[in-house]
Amino acid sequence: MKPLPLRLGVNIDHVATIRNARGGRHPDPIRAAKMAAAAGADGITAHLREDRRHISDADIDRLMAEIDLPLNLEMAATDEMLGIALRHKPHAACIVPERREERTTEGGLDAAGQYDHLAPMIRQLSAAGIRVSLFIEPSKQQLDAAKALGAPVVELHTGRYCEVDGAARQGELERIREAAAYAAEIGLECHAGHGLSFETVGPIAAIPTIVELNIGHFLIGEAIFGGLDGAIRRMRALMDDARGAKALSA
Ligand code: PXP
């Protein structure tokens, strides 16, 4: 099939991580969001964690006020975060699992096991005009649960695909491909993200039913060596190349 256009959401959390290491205002994640817009990002993603270890409430206020690109707010499924999302009404909310002791979002949301908890939240977010996505493992069971919950979008967790090598990575890629095809079959918009780098992005970008990638940590790290603008432009080019190559062979 002909691939759909592929959007890039730039996650700016780790600009805030560096700022918070010293306190104060530098480096400013909103300045990074503006640079991302100029470098070709289609959206900005930020995760307001319960412990506020990187993005702060004031950052969300400023992102809503100062950035023209759509904001994808990553949030845990808690009443506090639901209230914040309903107050700000970002373009999108991505519900993620969250544990205080983890360094980053480890594993996907158990959409299947938390049906009763998630259903009213998804209803309220959707009623407020917020596009809800669920960050899940690439599994049929989780996709069926997302569909049953009425979420219009899923984001497939690419963390494991990025962590492993060789045959194991191929196996993970196949799992993501199958899940992305199944998502389209049951009428879910499919996104992907976590851990993506220049090395790992191509095969994911080539999957024709994935329409958005959310990428953060690698881009912010790479910015140390070559600047944020260049890192985002190169990622965008790698995504476009992978998509174009796939289109030609389709
Ligand atoms: N998508 C989701 C749902 C995430 O939670 C994260 C990490 O905050 C990302 C994408 C981006 O992952 P990374 O920072 O590893 O690129």
Side-chain angles (χ1 to χ4, degrees), residues 72-245:
N72 174 33
L73 176 69
E74 291 178 1
M75 54 176 270
T78 64
D79 288 341
E80 184 202 13
M81 289 301 151
L82 177 66
I84 291 170
L86 292 174
R87 184 154 48 77
H88 282 294
K89 295 194 176 50
H91 167 74
C94 179
I95 303 182
V96 302
E98 198 175 302
R99 287 182 301 121
R100 277 179 190 251
E101 63 276 19
E102 71 190 356
R103 279 211 197 137
T104 182
T105 311
E106 293 165 2
L109 189 71
D110 184 10
Q114 291 190 64
Y115 187 93
D116 293 343
H117 178 64
L118 294 171
M121 279 193 188
I122 294 169
R123 255 198 314 276
Q124 287 182 74
L125 290 165
S126 300
I130 301 166
R131 185 200 71 186
V132 179
S133 73
L134 303 183
F135 188 45
I136 57 171
E137 291 296 322
S139 95
K140 194 164 179 290
Q141 187 204 16
Q142 295 298 341
L143 286 158
D144 284 335
K147 181 71 185 175
L149 279 162
V153 181
V154 288
E155 181 165 330
L156 302 179
H157 198 309
T158 53
R160 199 171 144 64
Y161 155 78
C162 293
E163 270 167 26
V164 295
D165 295 308
R169 182 176 288 173
Q170 277 311 311
E172 285 301 317
L173 180 60
E174 207 36 56
R175 220 157 70 89
I176 294 167
R177 271 202 199 110
E178 280 170 14
Y182 184 65
E185 220 176 285
I186 63 174
L188 292 172
E189 180 172 316
C190 191
H191 302 175
H194 208 281
L196 292 170
S197 65
F198 292 154
E199 185 205 345
T200 53
V201 75
I204 299 294
I207 298 173
T209 52
I210 291 180
V211 298
E212 181 175 309
L213 300 183
N214 285 298
I215 309 180
H217 182 266
F218 176 82
L219 289 172
I220 306 308
E222 198 57 23
I224 292 168
F225 304 107
L228 185 59
D229 181 82
I232 293 171
R233 285 180 196 276
R234 179 150 177 229
M235 188 62 85
R236 177 83 260 175
L238 289 167
M239 287 166 55
D240 292 345
D241 282 356
R243 205 67 166 185

